[in-house]
Amino acid sequence: METNYETIVIGGGVVGSGIAYHLSERYKEGVLVLDKKYPMSGTSGSTQAWVWVHNKTPSWYAEFNMYSAELYPYLSKKIGDVEYKRTGGLSPFFNESDREKAQKLAESYRKIGIKIKVLSREEVLEKEPYMNPEVAGATYSSIDGNVNPFRLIDMYMRAAKRNGVRYSTYNKVTEIKKQDGKYSVVSDKGAFECKNLILAGGTWSREIGDMLGVKIPVNQLRGQILVSEPLKPFLNFTISGLRQANNGEVLMGYSMEEAGFNRATTLDVIQETANMAVQYVPGLRKAKIVRAFSGIRAMPEDGFPILGKVPGHENLYVAATHSGVTLSPLIGTLITELIMDGETSIPIDRYSLSRFG
Amino acid sequence: MDKTTIICRCEEISCEEVEEVISNGGRTFDDVKRITRCGMGPCQAKICTSMVAEIIHQQTGLSPSEIPLPRMRMPLSPIKLETLATNSTSFSTVKSVLDEVELEEGKVR
């Protein structure tokens, strides 16, 4: 296997493969993606995969997510069917007192061009007839949706490979050295050299950064999800908490726990998730659950993406974030611009690693 | 096994589809599962596990002991959601997206 590349991406998940694909569109130099297992064996393969914008805060971060969501229809035309659906997103509330907060959200987001409607009980039930009639209201935005994460990453990989990107999987990086202006990446299957190195290690970013003496403060945050049997199509929207996939399965869950890399599912969270699901959509009571699973989010210390050049290290880049599914088309585009043009079409200074000091 | 042999009855996945994942670099049942849906149906891989292991073995030469088993998860056999629910409406680990929107001096942060 070729050992010299212009660019190496460490991590083939949704962020790393998204970068590799977008690079391969413009860039004819050699690109290699290294993955310690097979892409999707970590966070990217254990997610509900909402493409979610409308109640992320603060507004500048929601705006960043909006630009990425706007790229999805075009992306699926380029790489193939990834089952992207712009369903619109509903975030229900069951307490009338939440309406004021919802209205404040809608007001401040109108200024940046994200249209959020605050729906009455009747409007929610008209949109989503199976929602609990006791719902007080919901925020709604037409920009939200969801995607099939397996299709997405598989299509990123296939399109990238067609454009000449090489993948080396089941190949763990064990050491990174800087010598003669190049990076030498030592892996289980030998050493590779490159000019540009992109760290897209997701939940393992901290460990990969350590190999270069760079602190990438990413922690782990577990989420647990329940999967139902395929049901007839009955949910119209991506509801924050549950969604129905193309094949009829309903995915339910929105939980957060600090559990390191432990991917167990636990009865207490499964039960709480079941309670959330029946509170939102009581008709799910009789639906059968076939599986529970858990995934580990890559959560930067302050909750926001870490993107761009690594200060003090020439030709070293980092992309580490949660919401990788929503953000991958934009991150892929911006990192490509940064490498090829030296600047990005949307400023990413506030996402720089340098903010952690 | 013929190329058209159905390996996963629940999701109707053929031998050929499983082989393609291995030739693209997949090494485990879970790699095959994520890309093809093999084993994601109601039986949760109770039928297809050993056949997929056999295909992995044939294509890669890995011995059966080097091929990890798929991860079994609750509830093992499908059960109704109401069996899991306790009817409580107070949540701690499970969040509502709107709860994460914080107001600062009456304004969204």
Side-chain angles (χ1 to χ4, degrees), chain A residues 261-273:
Chain A
F261 286 100
N262 180 352
R263 279 176 71 173
T265 43
T266 58
L267 186 60
D268 55 341
V269 178
I270 288 175
Q271 288 184 312
E272 229 181 81
T273 301

Side-chain angles (χ1 to χ4, degrees), chain A residues 280-314:
Chain A
Y280 285 17
V281 182
L284 282 169
R285 282 187 166 280
K286 301 286 175 195
K288 282 189 170 152
I289 298 302
V290 297
R291 190 175 179 84
F293 68 86
S294 86
I296 313 289
R297 296 177 186 87
M299 188 55 77
E301 230 157 53
D302 62 359
F304 298 110
I306 302 173
L307 300 173
K309 292 180 177 167
V310 175
H313 292 256
E314 208 189 354

Side-chain angles (χ1 to χ4, degrees), chain A residues 104 170 249 254 275 285 289, chain B residues 31 37 79 86-87 100 106:
Chain A
K104 289 230 159 79
Y170 284 99
E249 288 176 346
Y254 191 63
N275 289 337
R285 282 187 166 280
I289 298 302
Chain B
D31 295 337
R37 291 196 57 81
I79 57 168
T86 62
N87 298 322
E100 296 181 313

Side-chain angles (χ1 to χ4, degrees), chain A residues 198-263:
Chain A
I198 304 171
L199 310 179
T203 49
W204 298 281
S205 292
R206 206 182 271 271
E207 286 76 1
I208 292 168
D210 282 345
M211 294 180 192
L212 284 157
V214 176
K215 191 182 172 219
I216 306 173
V218 170
N219 299 323
Q220 296 82 33
L221 194 63
R222 185 167 73 187
Q224 299 190 33
I225 292 171
L226 300 179
V227 189
S228 81
E229 62 187 334
L231 303 166
K232 67 166 186 168
F234 75 110
L235 293 176
N236 303 318
F237 296 89
T238 305
I239 302 169
S240 54
L242 52 97
R243 74 159 175 114
Q244 189 168 27
N246 275 15
N247 69 345
E249 288 176 346
V250 177
L251 301 170
M252 312 154 216
Y254 191 63
S255 62
M256 291 177 190
E257 299 163 273
E258 285 174 23
F261 286 100
N262 180 352
R263 279 176 71 173

Side-chain angles (χ1 to χ4, degrees), chain A residues 3 29 32 46 58 92 127 141 185 209 257 334:
Chain A
T3 56
E29 318 300 330
L32 173 70
S46 47
K127 278 192 184 308
S141 169
V185 180
E257 299 163 273
L334 295 175

Side-chain angles (χ1 to χ4, degrees), chain B residues 11-23:
Chain B
E11 297 286 334
E12 288 189 36
I13 306 301
S14 69
C15 181
E16 188 174 18
E17 290 170 86
V18 175
E19 285 175 351
E20 195 204 356
V21 179
I22 317 297
S23 58

Side-chain angles (χ1 to χ4, degrees), chain A residues 15 19 61 64 198-202 205-206 214-219 298-311 317-322 327 331 335 348-356:
Chain A
V15 172
I19 292 170
Y61 181 51
F64 196 66
I198 304 171
L199 310 179
S205 292
R206 206 182 271 271
V214 176
K215 191 182 172 219
I216 306 173
V218 170
N219 299 323
M299 188 55 77
E301 230 157 53
D302 62 359
F304 298 110
I306 302 173
L307 300 173
K309 292 180 177 167
V310 175
Y317 303 84
V318 61
T321 185
H322 67 95
L327 293 173
I331 291 175
I335 298 289
I348 55 169
D349 307 333
R350 67 163 96 231
Y351 299 112
S352 169
L353 183 62
S354 63
R355 70 183 186 270
F356 297 102

